[in-house]
Amino acid sequence: MVTGEAAGGPAAVRRWRPDYPLDVARTLLPLRRGPADPAYRTTGDGAIWRASRTPAGIGTLRVLSRPAEGAVEASAWGPGAQWLLDRLPALLGAEDDPAGLVLPPGPLREAQRRAAGIRLTSTGLVLESLVPAILEQKVTTDEAYRAWRTLLRDFGTPAPGPAEGMRVAPSAREWAMVPSWEWHRAGVDPKRSATVVRAVRLAPRLEEASAMDRADAFDRLTAVPGIGVWTAAETLQRSNGDPDAVSVGDFHLPNLVGWALAGRPRSDDAQMLALLEPYRPHRHRLCRLLLSTGTHAPRYGPRLTPNDHRGR
């Protein structure tokens, strides 16, 4: 991978020193949609690259942690470069406040200590997280990731700068113009594709949710038919860094929470919410902590079978 002017113009740069422990890779990991996400890349030098569509235009951001120096180095390219650099602290959790989650002595507190560098990211970009969340509704992650890769490859924009092969997600107008047969070819059923189209037609209104409080943001997103609590939570966790947005309706999360907090191998959403209630307004933060430990409930029976919508 080349750098500098030969790769598409000089980069805008920023060096930032967080005043808290920071694990850049694990903080940004929720923004990656699978190991081959065209909009997210890690390189051998430890840098993380993201291609985004910002209010100022498309941009590519490269973030490299320098832990020995207590600093983060960032470079950005494209019309959205300065916007991305201005948002860097928020992206890396500067607006997050994990101190409010106080856990009792024991394994959970120890896990919290080990995960001190994980912050909740806040991209400030709603559509960027909303569209892939819709694609992930009621399907396996592999199906959703494949659809995301296919659609960005075919309808995305080449990322500016030296990020060869990376793609910026389509604009709202471009999403709305994807033909029905291309959704089908990507493995996206008509219900999900129709929800994406409804959402992108309301893109300016939905993007306003990034500056709203939790209740208003949820109301704004869930007012769109096809966007329920799970999809809104998955979006606001990333766009707003919402520490309390629980992914109600998730296939695995209730069992994880039930097993970790009550030793119960199987739980439903109501049981999960009851267990999480004492930790409000940090319920998502606790779920993220549990996920970071690698804990999972005992597995019984067959795994969820992928659906192939392309042959229908």
Side-chain angles (χ1 to χ4, degrees):
M1 179 175 291
V2 295
T3 57
E5 295 193 28
V13 297
R14 178 175 184 178
R15 187 176 178 87
W16 177 65
R17 294 181 181 274
D19 59 1
Y20 50 85
L22 177 61
D23 185 326
V24 170
R26 292 206 287 173
T27 293
L28 295 182
L29 186 59
L31 303 180
R32 187 185 74 169
R33 304 292 179 163
D37 183 349
Y40 189 106
R41 176 181 296 170
T42 57
T43 49
D45 59 358
I48 296 172
W49 297 69
R50 296 191 65 244
S52 296
R53 188 174 295 276
T54 79
I58 63 173
T60 303
L61 177 69
R62 175 184 181 269
V63 181
L64 179 63
S65 178
R66 300 286 191 189
E69 304 168 27
V72 174
E73 293 180 358
S75 306
W77 294 262
Q82 193 58 53
W83 191 94
L84 290 169
L85 292 179
D86 289 344
R87 287 283 312 179
L88 181 69
L91 183 74
L92 297 178
E95 297 176 356
D96 185 28
D97 183 13
L101 178 61
V102 180
L103 297 171
L108 281 181
R109 182 180 290 185
E110 177 59 22
Q112 185 180 37
R113 184 191 66 78
R114 293 195 304 268
I118 301 177
R119 309 286 286 205
L120 298 183
T121 185
S122 173
T123 67
L125 300 170
V126 172
L127 210 64
E128 178 181 274
S129 292
L130 177 60
V131 172
I134 294 170
L135 296 180
E136 292 169 8
Q137 292 175 348
K138 306 298 183 182
V139 297
T140 66
T141 53
D142 286 346
E143 290 175 88
Y145 293 161
R146 182 175 64 243
W148 179 248
R149 289 195 304 269
T150 300
L151 292 164
L152 261 63
R153 181 193 65 209
D154 294 347
F155 299 99
T157 303
E164 183 178 351
M166 292 187 69
R167 310 287 286 184
V168 180
S171 66
R173 182 175 182 274
E174 290 165 342
W175 279 123
M177 294 179 67
V178 174
S180 59
W181 59 87
E182 294 290 357
W183 290 108
H184 186 74
R185 190 174 65 85
V188 181
D189 61 89
K191 183 176 181 180
R192 285 180 293 151
S193 62
T195 300
V196 171
V197 172
R198 278 193 296 269
V200 299
R201 287 174 175 166
L202 297 169
R205 291 273 295 164
L206 298 184
E207 289 292 353
E208 292 173 358
S210 66
M212 294 179 175
D213 63 31
R214 179 177 303 118
D216 289 342
F218 262 91
D219 288 347
R220 179 65 59 89
L221 295 187
T222 56
V224 180
I227 298 178
V229 174
W230 183 89
T231 306
E234 290 285 313
T235 301
L236 296 175
Q237 290 163 9
R238 295 163 172 83
S239 63
N240 294 29
D242 190 331
D244 202 50
V246 183
S247 300
V248 176
D250 192 86
F251 187 74
H252 299 289
L253 190 61
N255 294 334
L256 167 65
V257 172
W259 179 250
L261 299 185
R264 187 166 54 215
R266 290 293 175 267
S267 298
D268 58 24
D269 282 331
Q271 292 168 325
M272 174 184 71
L273 290 174
L275 289 170
L276 291 174
E277 183 61 29
Y279 302 98
R280 188 190 290 268
H282 294 276
R283 295 175 298 170
H284 166 58
R285 188 187 310 283
L286 179 58
C287 292
R288 179 85 192 280
L289 175 63
L290 296 178
L291 287 166
S292 76
T293 67
T295 300
H296 58 79
R299 296 188 175 98
Y300 305 124
R303 301 178 68 179
L304 185 65
T305 302
N307 298 303
D308 190 350
H309 303 281
R310 294 171 295 181
R312 298 178 184 176

